[in-house]
Amino acid sequence: MKRLTILSMVLLGIGLMLWAGYVALGGAYVDENGVLREPFPLLALGWFFVLAGVVSLAGSVGIAIIKRLRTPK
């Protein structure tokens, strides 16, 4: 596998682990004082890593397609 593909898989894995951590902590809830308690950084960082992984994976696929089209048969 190419380095960019491995990087994108690692980024996607980190993002999914952050989302799993959000779910494991119970998500959002309202405490007895009426204050919303939520581990929001896990959601935001999860989205960041997943989107970065998708973009890098799309770039890796695009590079592979361009290389395949440029090579003579």
Side-chain angles (χ1 to χ4, degrees), residues 2 4 7 11 17 23-24 27 31 33-34 41 45 49 62-63 65-66:
K2 303 288 185 199
L4 188 58
L7 174 69
L11 290 172
M17 285 190 290
V23 171
D31 66 4
N33 295 327
L45 286 173
F49 279 101
I63 290 170
I65 289 172
I66 290 171

Side-chain angles (χ1 to χ4, degrees), residues 28-71:
Y29 63 94
V30 179
D31 66 4
E32 60 275 352
N33 295 327
V35 177
L36 177 65
R37 300 293 180 180
E38 177 179 39
F40 181 74
L42 294 178
L43 280 178
L45 286 173
W47 274 111
F48 174 76
F49 279 101
V50 166
L51 291 176
V54 167
V55 168
S56 63
L57 185 61
S60 176
V61 169
I63 290 170
I65 289 172
I66 290 171
K67 282 184 178 180
R68 186 166 290 166
L69 290 175
R70 285 188 163 190
T71 56

